[in-house]
Amino acid sequence: MNKKSINHNLNDFFPKYIIDDFLFPLNTYLFFLESLSINPSSFFNEWSEINRQYITDKYWKSNTKLDWKWSLSFPLFTILEKYINTNNNPIIIGFSGLPGSGKSTLGSWIDSVSRDLEKDIKVISLDDFYLPGNEMDIAIRGNPWDVPRGFPGSHSLDLLNQTLKYFLKTGILEYPTFDKSLRDGKGDRSGWCKIETKVLLLEGWFLGCEPVSDLFRLDYLSEDTFNLNLSQVEKNYRVVIQESLAKYIKIWKLFDKIWHLKSNNFNNTILWKTQQEEEMIESKGSGLKGNHLLNFIRMIQTSIPQQSFSFINSDTTVEINQHRRINKLITTKYYF
């Protein structure tokens, strides 16, 4: 199929107001849908249906762009629905994206729409498995950014591993909840949830990252490449984090697929995280600000080598720019 016929077909399937909002080539979009085993015509008709449109529109933010809907949210939800219909056993999908990229907002949308459409889909966060407060204080004591949580080593990995394995066997998920506002913003466990579902989407900011084999070379070069000017204390602590990150690989292996919401520039997270905390302060009255926010952003930038985020072994990658507009779609493996 040549590019001309692809574009012609897409214009047949999708109204001009939708495809004009895409920043990526139309042939890329068609290949993306086909790789996900999604029929473009059926896909458009389903998500344009009045009742479904009403349900999905309830949970969008007012400024949500059409590319975010039609090339990320709707395709991902369609895939999760397909798993319900084609898989006899419970399944876990990983979803990775830098802080502030929009993954938690998307997760909340999927959770809400799943509930209204009565679909067996549940979204949880790696953050739910943070260590209890007192254990957390001990585990990350002395970190050079003076942050209370966030990087590899902050989670109850044995609990996470056992919980996910039990879910894969039974479809029952019993997991803790974590409230970041407790203990004056340091956070703590706030309760437990128990549900039964078919498809689980687990999101996290370093989900899918693996340790690098040449950390010392990267640390030497990073000052020139990324202008990070790593202190010796940061370089030393990154070794500790790499050792912790190696223990997460057993978790990543439990996922059937990984989706990566990838930034086209790692430093976009500076703006995103700042905006995220400002919104949290406005809506909930609390959030990171001042030096606490700067320290957390510094942790994001330096705790894990940025190279790790460029080589996440994802099955589907959706690349976004500084404005969270989608500019690239990559699917490496056919799904069904």
Side-chain angles (χ1 to χ4, degrees), residues 294-312:
L294 293 176
N295 288 344
F296 201 90
I297 290 173
R298 177 69 180 180
M299 181 274 291
I300 295 168
Q301 289 182 290
T302 60
S303 61
I304 300 174
Q306 296 180 20
Q307 176 179 298
S308 296
F309 296 92
S310 299
F311 298 102
I312 288 177

Side-chain angles (χ1 to χ4, degrees), residues 5-252:
S5 64
I6 287 173
N7 290 349
H8 174 71
N9 286 338
L10 275 176
N11 279 284
D12 286 344
F13 299 142
F14 293 87
K16 190 173 186 298
Y17 77 90
I18 292 179
I19 59 179
D20 281 355
D21 204 48
F22 293 166
L23 303 183
F24 41 81
L26 298 185
N27 60 326
T28 299
Y29 184 57
L30 181 58
F31 180 75
F32 179 70
L33 294 180
E34 288 180 341
S35 298
L36 298 174
S37 302
I38 293 174
N39 178 280
S41 179
S42 301
F43 174 68
F44 174 75
N45 290 334
E46 181 176 24
W47 288 100
S48 299
E49 192 270 326
I50 293 176
N51 183 55
R52 181 166 283 220
Q53 204 170 56
Y54 169 74
I55 290 172
T56 59
D57 284 351
K58 283 196 302 182
Y59 302 110
W60 291 123
K61 289 186 175 181
S62 60
N63 60 347
T64 303
K65 300 293 185 181
L66 290 174
D67 60 344
W68 190 271
K69 297 179 181 181
W70 287 97
S71 57
L72 173 58
S73 307
F74 294 163
L76 176 55
F77 197 95
T78 298
I79 288 299
L80 299 179
E81 286 184 290
K82 281 179 176 285
Y83 278 123
I84 295 174
N85 298 326
T86 59
N87 277 50
N88 294 323
N89 300 317
I91 197 167
I92 305 172
I93 306 299
F95 194 84
S96 182
L98 289 172
S101 60
K103 66 182 183 304
S104 297
T105 300
L106 177 60
S108 177
W109 179 85
I110 291 173
D111 239 2
S112 299
V113 172
S114 299
R115 182 185 62 246
D116 283 12
L117 293 177
E118 298 182 342
K119 301 293 183 179
D120 282 336
I121 302 169
K122 177 64 180 175
V123 182
I124 64 172
S125 172
L126 197 60
D127 293 355
D128 290 318
F129 289 88
Y130 276 140
L131 290 161
N134 292 337
E135 293 181 34
M136 179 84 78
D137 292 343
I138 295 171
I140 66 171
R141 182 180 296 158
N143 74 81
W145 312 283
D146 195 30
V147 295
R149 61 183 180 272
F151 49 79
S154 302
H155 303 88
S156 299
L157 272 188
D158 288 342
L159 173 64
L160 176 59
N161 189 43
Q162 293 166 10
T163 299
L164 296 184
K165 284 185 174 180
Y166 187 73
F167 166 74
L168 290 173
K169 289 181 180 179
T170 65
I172 297 172
L173 185 72
E174 189 169 4
Y175 64 99
T177 56
F178 193 89
D179 187 338
K180 297 175 183 178
S181 68
L182 296 177
R183 300 198 308 146
D184 296 323
K186 294 173 68 177
D188 206 348
R189 292 259 174 94
S190 57
W192 287 79
C193 289
K194 185 175 182 180
I195 60 168
E196 188 168 357
T197 193
K198 186 77 175 287
V199 178
L200 177 65
L201 185 74
L202 178 63
E203 57 97 349
W205 78 272
F206 61 84
L207 188 147
C209 284
E210 298 185 5
V212 296
S213 58
D214 52 353
L215 179 63
F216 292 105
R217 184 183 67 84
L218 286 177
D219 283 349
Y220 175 75
L221 294 175
S222 61
E223 294 181 8
D224 295 327
T225 307
F226 298 109
N227 296 316
L228 292 175
N229 295 315
L230 293 168
S231 68
Q232 189 59 50
V233 177
E234 287 176 321
K235 292 178 181 178
N236 293 342
Y237 205 85
R238 273 160 56 114
V239 175
V240 176
I241 290 179
Q242 287 286 293
E243 292 172 353
S244 296
L245 185 59
K247 299 174 184 177
Y248 286 74
I249 294 177
K250 62 184 178 183
I251 305 299
W252 312 156

Side-chain angles (χ1 to χ4, degrees), residues 99-100 145-149 269-281 287-301:
W145 312 283
D146 195 30
V147 295
R149 61 183 180 272
T269 193
I270 299 173
L271 173 64
W272 295 341
K273 184 61 182 174
T274 302
Q275 292 172 337
Q276 184 183 57
E277 293 301 323
E278 288 173 349
E279 290 174 4
M280 190 173 297
I281 291 171
L288 295 173
K289 54 186 176 180
N291 287 334
H292 294 296
L293 175 58
L294 293 176
N295 288 344
F296 201 90
I297 290 173
R298 177 69 180 180
M299 181 274 291
I300 295 168
Q301 289 182 290

Side-chain angles (χ1 to χ4, degrees), residues 313-326:
N313 187 26
S314 56
D315 301 273
T316 298
T317 300
V318 176
E319 186 179 280
I320 56 177
N321 63 21
Q322 182 183 31
H323 306 290
R324 299 185 188 86
R325 296 297 306 277
I326 296 168

